[in-house]
């Protein structure tokens, strides 16, 4: 890595705050013909601070226009942070439902409450105060851990899931109902049991296909995913009469090092996550910003589970048939590799001498390795794979396997037959080499450009 860092260096097509810190995507909505993305934002430093809502919008999910901060912590009920939430369009306005945070004098006295704001133009928001106070919690739940509301509309009513914590217990997801967005009634604890981690965050429910997304801190089963915090999907159906969610299948949303807080656009099969992770080496602080979001992803569901693919416009640059080995160069853009009767696969990216990241097929599973990056990225995980810079993802043998790789400054997002693996990387500034070795009956390689002005 260059000794003098370029503080103007930014991802080419991933959303950042420009300057400052960002984490969870919030308020994903289509309003007045544009896709609106909000995010947790601290504009005054590169570390987490009192949360604001940053805001960008786009007509095509690639070129994003930056807007003024949508929400600032400036009311008694959100004085210490406007935490995560969601958006919904109603009566020709864009409504934001978010968590207001007040520290209190100690942990027991801090409060998280659900709040409402609205805008007629999608840019300037008026706050309408608290809509679910801590007295809206059922007995036995912690008012200090009550956050991240996701709202949607069903059969003429508004519904909202909120992350919560049982007193003396673990993470839960609560369901509320409203007729007007202002007055809400508690319905049920949707799972009726502790979730997979110490605290649940950022629940998201898609009525269209019965998908519930949940992010969990410190999951019980670290064999499920090595990350110390994970994002999971559950496939089932919400019974509106009882408020209970019963699921038949569950799994990991993203198998990479750096993915959290998945959220979907209301009424759209599109998802965005935070392309980072808590308790990690601060990768980009030296460049004057911290954090970015994944590209928008198309999502669907089939017998194999959750299916994801990048929802970005790709412009083909080159195509080649690969018989054994292939070399190329790319700094920002995408690769699409299609292999028939795949037997062996090895892809190295950002190659510059002995520095690179790799994605390969090994002993029946996909393996991502960032141990050869020019900056070693560490986390709180202590298992052998994490220490070695490795993440693994299930491989499904098919007649034809398709791999799509998005390469940007500081990140790699990989999609293999619908499964996803996202990770931060730091390589030498001039590292652009690509080395591909494949054993298959036939293999094609296509390179794409992704143009953005974020």
């Amino acid at each position: 890595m260059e000794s003098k860092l370029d503080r103007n260096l930014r991802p080419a097509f991933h959303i950042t705050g420009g300057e400052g810190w960002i984490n969870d995507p919030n308020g994903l909505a289509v309003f007045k013909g544009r896709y609106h993305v909000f995010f947790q934002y601290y504009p005054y430093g590169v570390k987490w601070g009192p949360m604001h809502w940053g805001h960008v919008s786009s007509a095509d999910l690639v070129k994003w226009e930056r807007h003024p901060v949508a929400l600032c912590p400036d009311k008694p009920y959100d004085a210490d942070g406007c935490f995560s939430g969601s958006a919904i369009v109603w009566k020709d306005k864009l409504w934001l439902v978010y968590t207001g945070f007040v520290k209190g004098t100690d942990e027991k006295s801090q409060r998280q409450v659900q709040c409402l704001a609205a805008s007629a133009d999608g840019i300037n928001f008026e706050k309408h105060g608290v809509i679910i106070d801590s007295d809206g919690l059922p007995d036995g739940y912690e008012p200090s851990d009550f956050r991240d509301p996701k709202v949607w509309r069903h059969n003429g009513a508004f519904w909202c899931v909120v992350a919560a914590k049982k007193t003396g217990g673990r993470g839960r997801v609560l369901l509320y109902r409203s007729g007007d967005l202002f007055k809400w009634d508690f319905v049920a604890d949707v799972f009726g049991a502790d979730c997979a981690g110490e605290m649940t965050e950022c629940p998201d429910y898609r009525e269209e296909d019965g998908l519930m997304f949940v992010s969990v801190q410190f999951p019980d089963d670290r064999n499920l995913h090595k990350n110390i915090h994970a994002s999971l999907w559950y496939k089932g159906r919400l019974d509106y009469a009882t408020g209970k969610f019963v699921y038949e299948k569950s799994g990991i949303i993203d198998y990479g090092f750096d993915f959290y807080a998945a959220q979907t656009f209301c009424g759209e099969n599109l998802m965005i996550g935070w392309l980072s992770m808590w308790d990690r080496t601060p990768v980009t602080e030296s460049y004057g910003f911290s954090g970015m979001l994944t590209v928008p992803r198309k999502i669907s569901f089939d017998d194999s589970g959750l299916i994801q693919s990048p929802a970005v416009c790709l412009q083909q640059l080159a195509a080649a048939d690969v018989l054994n080995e292939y070399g190329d160069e790319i700094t920002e853009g995408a690769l699409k590799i299609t292999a028939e009767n795949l037997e062996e696969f090895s892809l190295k990216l950002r190659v510059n001498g002995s520095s690179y990241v790799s994605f390969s097929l090994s002993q029946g599973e996909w393996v991502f390795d960032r141990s050869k990056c020019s900056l070693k990225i560490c986390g709180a995980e202590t298992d052998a794979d994490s220490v070695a810079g490795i993440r693994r993802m299930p491989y499904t043998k098919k007649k034809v396997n398709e791999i799509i790789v998005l390469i940007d400054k500081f990140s790699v997002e990989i999609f293999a037959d619908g499964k996803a693996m996202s990770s931060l990387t730091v390589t030498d500034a001039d590292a652009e080499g690509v080395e591909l070795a494949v054993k298959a009956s036939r293999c094609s390689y296509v390179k794409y450009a992704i143009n953005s002005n974020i």
Side-chain angles (χ1 to χ4, degrees), residues 360-406:
S360 60
L361 185 58
S362 176
Q363 298 183 336
E365 62 184 351
W366 293 113
V367 178
F368 174 80
D369 186 345
R370 66 179 181 188
S371 63
K372 301 297 191 296
C373 283
S374 54
L375 172 68
K376 184 175 178 59
I377 304 173
C378 301
E381 299 87 353
T382 57
D383 61 281
D385 272 2
S386 297
V387 172
I390 289 173
R391 281 291 175 266
R392 303 174 189 271
M393 182 168 70
Y395 164 70
T396 303
K397 188 170 182 61
K398 298 182 175 183
K399 175 68 174 175
V400 178
N401 290 97
E402 180 181 87
I403 299 96
I404 300 174
V405 183
L406 304 187

Side-chain angles (χ1 to χ4, degrees), residues 48-245:
W48 189 92
M51 286 291 95
H52 299 53
W53 274 39
H55 183 198
V56 296
S57 73
S58 172
D60 61 5
L61 296 173
V62 177
K63 297 180 180 179
W64 297 93
E65 178 183 353
R66 201 176 303 282
H67 300 298
V69 169
L71 299 175
C72 297
D74 57 6
K75 300 293 183 184
Y77 50 80
D78 64 13
D80 296 304
C82 298
F83 281 8
S84 292
S86 56
I88 193 166
V89 178
W90 182 54
K91 291 187 174 180
D92 203 33
K93 287 186 178 181
L94 183 59
W95 300 79
L96 306 182
V97 183
Y98 70 99
T99 297
F101 173 58
V102 179
K103 285 182 180 178
T105 56
D106 54 30
E107 186 174 347
K108 287 187 176 180
S109 64
Q110 75 177 21
R111 288 293 180 268
Q112 295 178 0
V113 297
Q114 315 319 313
C115 310
L116 185 66
S119 171
D121 61 6
I123 306 298
N124 302 288
F125 289 85
E126 176 187 0
K127 292 182 179 179
H128 291 280
V130 177
I131 54 173
I132 309 177
D133 208 337
S134 54
D135 58 10
L137 274 168
D139 291 339
Y141 293 79
E142 288 295 323
S144 59
D145 284 303
F146 180 46
R147 56 185 177 266
D148 310 340
K150 175 57 187 273
V151 63
W152 71 95
R153 197 161 170 80
H154 174 75
N155 283 352
F158 296 99
W159 301 82
C160 181
V161 283
V162 189
K165 189 173 185 179
K166 195 77 169 167
T167 301
R170 300 166 73 79
R172 300 290 184 107
V173 177
L174 305 183
L175 179 67
Y176 290 81
R177 182 184 186 279
S178 173
D180 61 3
L181 284 178
F182 286 82
K183 184 179 184 303
W184 292 82
D185 296 311
F186 171 71
V187 179
D189 183 324
V190 299
F191 288 100
D194 286 344
C195 289
E198 290 186 14
M199 180 58 193
T200 301
E201 294 192 305
C202 304
D204 185 296
Y205 181 63
R206 281 180 48 80
E207 171 65 23
E208 299 88 340
D209 43 27
L211 275 173
M212 180 86 74
F213 293 158
V214 176
S215 292
V216 293
Q217 295 180 321
F218 307 104
D220 303 318
D221 186 1
R222 293 288 299 285
N223 292 317
L224 178 68
H225 195 297
K226 299 298 184 184
N227 282 354
I228 201 166
H229 312 295
S231 293
L232 309 175
W233 60 262
Y234 297 86
K235 171 66 172 175
R237 185 61 59 184
L238 179 64
D239 184 334
Y240 286 93
T242 64
K244 297 297 184 181
F245 179 77

Side-chain angles (χ1 to χ4, degrees), residues 222-415:
R222 293 288 299 285
N223 292 317
L224 178 68
H225 195 297
K226 299 298 184 184
N227 282 354
I228 201 166
H229 312 295
S231 293
L232 309 175
W233 60 262
Y234 297 86
K235 171 66 172 175
R237 185 61 59 184
L238 179 64
D239 184 334
Y240 286 93
T242 64
K244 297 297 184 181
F245 179 77
V246 179
Y247 65 94
E248 308 91 36
K249 296 181 178 180
S250 63
I252 297 167
I253 298 177
D254 190 292
Y255 289 84
F257 277 100
D258 302 296
F259 182 95
Y260 196 70
Q263 292 288 290
T264 62
F265 283 84
C266 212
E268 301 275 335
N269 65 331
L270 293 170
M271 176 187 72
I272 295 178
W274 179 36
L275 213 174
S276 194
M277 180 58 61
W278 301 111
D279 304 312
R280 284 268 191 277
T281 300
V283 172
T284 61
E285 283 185 3
S286 305
Y287 295 87
F289 78 104
S290 188
M292 68 188 82
L293 305 184
T294 70
V295 298
R297 301 177 179 185
K298 297 177 185 177
I299 57 172
S300 59
F301 197 90
D302 67 12
D303 290 341
S304 67
L306 181 67
I307 303 298
Q308 303 174 62
S309 62
V312 293
C313 299
L314 304 178
Q315 179 184 351
Q316 186 169 330
L317 296 179
D321 285 332
V322 179
L323 297 178
N324 292 301
E325 297 183 356
Y326 184 79
D328 195 8
E329 294 179 349
I330 187 169
T331 52
E332 296 92 29
L335 307 177
K336 182 178 178 181
I337 303 158
T338 306
E340 298 180 17
N341 302 311
L342 180 63
E343 295 183 39
E344 298 177 8
F345 183 97
S346 175
L347 175 66
K348 293 181 180 179
L349 304 167
R350 296 287 192 181
V351 179
N352 186 15
S354 61
S355 175
Y356 58 86
V357 295
S358 69
F359 181 68
S360 60
L361 185 58
S362 176
Q363 298 183 336
E365 62 184 351
W366 293 113
V367 178
F368 174 80
D369 186 345
R370 66 179 181 188
S371 63
K372 301 297 191 296
C373 283
S374 54
L375 172 68
K376 184 175 178 59
I377 304 173
C378 301
E381 299 87 353
T382 57
D383 61 281
D385 272 2
S386 297
V387 172
I390 289 173
R391 281 291 175 266
R392 303 174 189 271
M393 182 168 70
Y395 164 70
T396 303
K397 188 170 182 61
K398 298 182 175 183
K399 175 68 174 175
V400 178
N401 290 97
E402 180 181 87
I403 299 96
I404 300 174
V405 183
L406 304 187
I407 306 160
D408 204 350
K409 298 178 183 72
F410 311 112
S411 70
V412 175
E413 291 184 73
I414 301 169
F415 302 86

Side-chain angles (χ1 to χ4, degrees), residues 412-433:
V412 175
E413 291 184 73
I414 301 169
F415 302 86
D417 299 314
K419 293 183 175 65
M421 178 179 270
S422 305
S423 296
L424 297 176
T425 64
V426 178
T427 54
D428 296 335
D430 57 352
E432 57 184 12

